[in-house]
Amino acid sequence: MSDFITIGTLDELSPGGEPIVVDINRRWVAVYNIDGNYYAIEDRCTHDDGPLAEGELNGCIVTCPRHGARFDVTSGEALSGPAGTINVPTYDVRVVGDEIQISTKRKTS
Ligand code: FES
């Protein structure tokens, strides 16, 4: 069983905008709004720890600001670049009322 914690409210996270970055069990996690759906990935590139939340977001694809690896924010899947096929961990997200909550359970694939 996983626990969920509130990381913000719906009005703090606009579609396609800057993600909210939070500390979950001493790991930075970036939470995105993609067309009204919410996703969370670890804010650490699987190539060499680049801060993905600082990368450019196009649709649901974020590009690592360090060496250009691309990841699908909705699944954590590594798509191209030096990260190879090493996906970034994800966290479940849910909305309760106007609160955005994420699971404290880190999911790897
Ligand atoms: S640290 Fe992200 S591509 Fe190198």
Side-chain angles (χ1 to χ4, degrees):
M1 185 172 133
S2 65
D3 295 324
F4 281 81
I5 61 170
T6 298
I7 57 91
T9 55
L10 296 178
D11 61 352
E12 295 177 286
L13 193 55
S14 56
E18 294 283 317
I20 292 175
V21 179
V22 293
D23 178 346
I24 302 292
N25 296 331
R26 286 175 284 191
R27 295 179 189 275
W28 293 114
V29 176
V31 186
Y32 294 87
N33 178 341
I34 307 291
D35 297 330
N37 296 305
Y38 299 88
Y39 302 94
I41 60 172
E42 190 166 318
D43 185 21
R44 191 172 93 172
C45 179
T46 56
H47 172 232
D48 194 24
D49 301 341
L52 294 177
E54 295 177 19
E56 184 178 343
L57 182 68
N58 283 308
C60 65
I61 309 300
V62 67
T63 302
C64 179
R66 289 193 61 205
H67 314 106
R70 296 166 67 242
F71 297 89
D72 185 331
V73 166
T74 68
S75 64
E77 181 182 5
L79 301 173
S80 66
T85 58
I86 305 173
N87 300 334
V88 71
T90 62
Y91 295 76
D92 288 337
V93 182
R94 71 184 185 189
V95 174
V96 178
D98 69 343
E99 294 184 346
I100 302 165
Q101 300 182 341
I102 69 172
S103 169
T104 58
K105 183 168 187 257
R106 181 173 175 262
K107 298 166 67 177
T108 57
S109 61

